[in-house]
Amino acid sequence: MGSKRSSRRELLKGGALAVGAAAAGASVSKTALAQNSAPAPEPALPSYAVNEAPQIPVSSDVVAYGVRSHYVKSVRIQEDGRPKGATSRYDSFGLTIHIQTPLQDSIGTIQASSLHYCATTKGAFVPDIDPDKHTVMLNGLVDRPRIFTMAELKRFPSVTRFHFVECIANNANATHQNVQQSHGTCSNAEWTGVLLSTLFKECGLQDKAKWFVAEGAEEVKGASTMPINAIDEVIVAYGMNGEPLRPQQGFPVRLITPGFEGIFNTKWLRHIKAVDQYQLNMNDFGHLRREETTAALGYTWGPKSIITFPSGSQKLPERGWYEITGLAWSGNGAVRKVEVSTDGGQTWKEAELKATPLRKAHTRFGYMWNWDGGEHVIMSRTTDDIGVVQPTREQVAKALGVAYTPSFRPPGTNNTIMPWKIASDGSVTNGLA
Amino acid sequence: MGLLRIVPILLLLASPALAQTYDIGKAPTAAQLAQDITISPTGEGLPPGHGTAAEGAKLYVEKGCVACHGQDGAGGVTIAPNLIGNKGTGPGDNVWKRVNGGEAPGALPILAPNGVIVWDYINRGMPIGNEGSLKSDEVYALTAYLFALNKITPEDKVIDQSNLAQIEMPIGTEWVRVPDWTPGGQRMPGYPY
């Protein structure tokens, strides 16, 4: 370190960086000036070469797991309107667990594990499972029922895939102030585990099996029935973003069911059973509907996107260039295209995709926009790789033959376009309001 | 051209991940298999047992159900749903009008397409805070009590593992199945979005 610094000084003395040093002169710190107040002063050091910031003390926490900057304040919130728990057995929010991720601050395409949204079955608390004692049983219509320890699950060939998980409650309305409230029960992460098809192969899945039931180990043993032809994509996942799942994400093992509504992603997985008919289990009961439309549209997610910047409650400080950015995804497959409108949907421009879109995963998009200081309504829409285009609320109403009113609530999983209003002072508000 | 189309399929079939098993894991023991509480709508998987509405009414108080679901299942105590349908509605009304918001989950005995579901729900998830603690006979008794409250079965009906799946439920056929799902398929036939 010392030698590096002296060599830099030598360079400065030699004038090799004279131009750079002069340019940096305006930001030279008082400390640097004080250090160089000798009668024959050295050329001032550029501020980046001087340690101006107070030190973050080394603690066991900083060493062991790492701690983000205290300047970064982004946190999850409890979803509004959720019933308050009657007893202390609920989480530290004191509420039924339904926690929204701060999408307005999201960067890139994944949510940090600590910020990933979380919802649980029927207000379940989070079980504290010893992975050395946990097992997953597969039985039902299989030739060889099997029970696997965590260590055994990790001996199977693994997959590592990016997928979004989104709760059916991720349903924006006019009362939401920001994108965390309107879209915060959706997150994207890297998941590692074994394909369910690999495990069923091991157990000898029988042709008679048309569905499988997945059951969690939480207090209500939440269970869902899923179609057997989904097993080629369903992951029995034990890893998330480079480490074991967090307890709120189903530690030590969960299902990831790409494209399906959130509750199918059974956490704290303890049992999978191959069956020949739809079971209508506890979690399935929540999908019971009178109409085919609401039943079908509440099952999986269509193409969807959301602008995360600039979004509700944010403010553009001055006119000029900004990157309008957000996330796009589809439960049908990969994102093919994202378009952005800055005139309330009258015209659309294709946005740049920031990485190769992956199946049933978030894709970050961006669109450079020179804000003229005027009032605008900005919105994004995505087209997925089976050609389905994200609709407006009006389009959904029309397709369903329902009269559109501002209070129209799209049935099932709401994948409609979300507008943000930008006022002439740069403030951003909910465009549905 | 025909051969070219087949080649990728042959390669897939030859890949170890598809062709191979690994002899990992063990056959579950009888005790482990007994933890399988999954029950088919046909009643397959129901443990032996029986109960009556009178027994269930007693348990409804003893086990604390009344503290959340209210006297005689009328609700209004906590966020727990009522178990007899909204006030002012009754067996003569459309089942979907009898539950809050017109969407499941509402009053379970009214909306459950099959009696087995009521049994399963109580067995898995009730009572809150002490889930999984009820004995099979107690679950049959509570199920019989809920059915009697809703005039689904008579007061003196003994509900057991052999007759539960056959009981005619108020919802009848007024519900729809989840859609047939296919990889890469659309969410609903004819729906463009």
Side-chain angles (χ1 to χ4, degrees):
Chain A
M1 195 64 197
S3 65
K4 268 187 186 170
R5 171 164 283 194
S6 56
S7 68
R8 184 166 281 172
R9 283 174 194 235
E10 294 303 317
L11 278 170
L12 286 168
K13 277 181 185 166
L17 288 181
V19 176
S27 59
V28 167
S29 71
K30 283 176 185 168
T31 317
L33 286 170
Q35 279 174 353
N36 294 291
S37 59
E42 292 179 308
L45 289 169
S47 63
Y48 61 74
V50 178
N51 183 11
E52 293 181 296
Q55 293 293 299
I56 294 170
V58 174
S59 66
S60 56
D61 284 350
V62 169
V63 172
Y65 194 68
V67 177
R68 69 177 177 176
S69 167
H70 63 91
Y71 292 107
V72 179
K73 305 287 190 192
S74 193
V75 292
R76 300 188 299 177
I77 56 171
Q78 176 66 20
E79 185 170 348
D80 260 5
R82 284 278 149 179
K84 287 184 191 295
T87 70
S88 59
R89 58 196 289 278
Y90 294 91
D91 73 333
S92 60
F93 290 86
L95 300 161
T96 312
I97 296 177
H98 223 258
I99 304 168
Q100 297 171 310
T101 190
L103 283 179
Q104 66 277 16
D105 306 321
S106 70
I107 299 169
T109 51
I110 65 165
Q111 265 58 52
S113 300
S114 52
L115 293 176
H116 196 285
Y117 100 89
C118 172
T120 61
T121 304
K122 212 163 113 291
F125 68 98
V126 173
D128 184 14
I129 296 173
D130 178 348
D132 292 339
K133 293 177 183 158
H134 188 73
T135 56
V136 177
M137 181 164 73
L138 266 76
N139 70 339
L141 298 174
V142 294
D143 294 336
R144 298 174 294 279
R146 283 289 176 272
I147 192 158
F148 302 109
T149 64
M150 289 306 301
E152 286 166 343
L153 283 176
K154 291 175 186 174
R155 288 166 57 191
F156 284 100
S158 62
V159 294
T160 292
R161 294 178 182 176
F162 292 87
H163 286 301
F164 77 88
V165 181
E166 182 169 14
C167 180
I168 196 169
N170 213 30
N171 193 352
N173 67 45
T175 70
H176 295 138
Q177 306 287 306
N178 56 51
V179 70
Q180 186 167 17
Q181 292 171 353
S182 65
H183 288 73
T185 46
C186 181
S187 296
N188 191 63
E190 185 201 76
W191 305 99
T192 295
V194 190
L195 286 178
L196 184 51
S197 54
T198 303
L199 295 182
F200 269 133
K201 175 82 184 170
E202 186 74 15
C203 297
L205 183 65
Q206 297 172 1
D207 289 342
K208 289 180 285 188
K210 301 296 176 218
W211 304 87
F212 69 89
V213 178
E215 178 185 86
E218 78 275 25
E219 84 288 19
V220 295
K221 307 286 180 285
S224 294
T225 311
M226 290 191 64
I228 203 78
N229 56 0
I231 65 172
D232 290 330
E233 281 197 341
V234 170
I235 305 173
V236 176
Y238 45 77
M240 175 187 188
N241 294 339
E243 61 181 354
L245 299 174
R246 288 189 160 222
Q248 286 184 346
Q249 298 303 330
F251 181 82
V253 61
R254 72 175 302 172
L255 283 193
I256 291 295
T257 62
F260 283 84
E261 194 265 291
I263 204 167
F264 290 104
N265 296 265
T266 303
K267 295 193 271 196
W268 314 293
L269 181 71
R270 73 162 199 171
H271 180 207
I272 292 177
K273 187 174 188 177
V275 296
D276 60 358
Q277 52 183 309
Y278 186 62
Q279 300 278 298
L280 255 170
N281 267 297
M282 172 174 271
N283 296 349
D284 301 323
F285 187 64
H287 289 106
L288 186 75
R289 295 290 184 270
R290 187 180 187 179
E291 310 288 346
E292 192 200 341
T293 306
T294 46
L297 298 182
Y299 203 46
T300 55
W301 282 97
K304 188 167 178 178
S305 68
I306 179 67
I307 291 171
T308 56
F309 177 85
S311 61
S313 301
Q314 292 176 335
K315 192 166 184 182
L316 299 178
E318 59 184 354
R319 60 184 63 191
W321 286 100
Y322 294 91
E323 186 175 50
I324 294 175
T325 180
L327 295 163
W329 61 99
S330 174
N332 295 329
V335 166
R336 181 192 290 166
K337 181 172 76 168
V338 179
E339 296 160 291
V340 168
S341 173
T342 56
D343 56 11
Q346 291 174 55
T347 60
W348 295 89
K349 304 269 173 38
E350 192 156 344
E352 179 195 5
L353 303 182
K354 300 297 181 180
T356 305
L358 299 170
R359 281 178 61 71
K360 305 179 184 184
H362 281 181
T363 299
R364 174 66 61 176
F365 66 86
Y367 173 74
M368 287 306 297
W369 181 49
N370 194 351
W371 180 48
D372 58 8
E375 291 180 3
H376 291 265
V377 174
I378 61 170
M379 48 179 72
S380 64
R381 75 176 176 200
T382 188
T383 305
D384 65 28
D385 64 1
I386 68 165
V388 179
V389 183
Q390 183 184 7
T392 62
R393 285 165 187 256
E394 291 87 340
Q395 285 172 323
V396 170
K398 196 177 172 196
L400 297 174
V402 187
Y404 177 78
T405 64
S407 62
F408 172 72
R409 186 169 172 259
T413 53
N414 180 358
N415 66 324
T416 56
I417 290 169
M418 178 73 187
W420 298 113
K421 270 189 286 203
I422 299 177
S424 52
D425 68 352
S427 59
V428 189
T429 53
N430 187 333
L432 298 171
Chain B
M1 188 61 193
L3 186 64
L4 280 177
R5 276 189 190 158
I6 290 169
V7 164
I9 297 168
L10 292 176
L11 285 174
L12 268 178
L13 290 174
S15 82
L18 283 179
Q20 203 176 333
T21 57
Y22 300 93
D23 197 21
I24 298 172
K26 292 168 189 66
T29 63
Q32 286 166 333
L33 281 170
Q35 289 183 6
D36 176 356
I37 56 170
T38 309
I39 303 164
S40 163
T42 60
E44 188 191 338
L46 276 172
H50 55 83
T52 63
E55 292 162 359
K58 204 160 157 256
L59 288 164
Y60 185 80
V61 177
E62 281 175 15
K63 298 292 180 184
C65 318
V66 67
C68 293
H69 294 286
Q71 199 73 37
D72 301 325
V77 183
T78 65
I79 57 158
N82 76 62
L83 299 168
I84 55 170
N86 294 336
K87 217 173 176 177
T89 67
D93 297 308
N94 182 284
V95 291
W96 291 98
K97 286 186 180 150
R98 295 176 61 194
V99 296
N100 287 326
E103 278 191 359
L108 181 65
I110 298 171
L111 281 186
N114 188 298
V116 172
I117 296 161
V118 179
W119 196 97
D120 178 63
Y121 206 106
I122 298 170
N123 188 50
R124 283 177 190 275
M126 294 293 149
I128 286 282
N130 210 6
E131 301 85 353
S133 64
L134 297 171
K135 297 180 182 69
S136 294
D137 282 350
E138 293 172 334
V139 182
Y140 282 109
L142 285 164
T143 304
Y145 175 61
L146 295 188
F147 288 177
L149 277 180
N150 285 289
K151 311 217 182 310
I152 297 166
T153 52
E155 294 276 345
D156 57 355
K157 171 90 172 177
V158 180
I159 305 272
D160 61 28
Q161 76 277 8
S162 59
N163 64 17
L164 178 57
Q166 278 78 52
I167 291 165
E168 198 177 320
M169 300 300 287
I171 195 169
T173 56
E174 271 204 69
W175 61 284
V176 291
R177 294 185 170 277
V178 292
D180 289 334
W181 181 88
T182 51
Q186 279 188 260
R187 293 200 289 160
M188 187 169 73
Y191 181 73
Y193 308 116

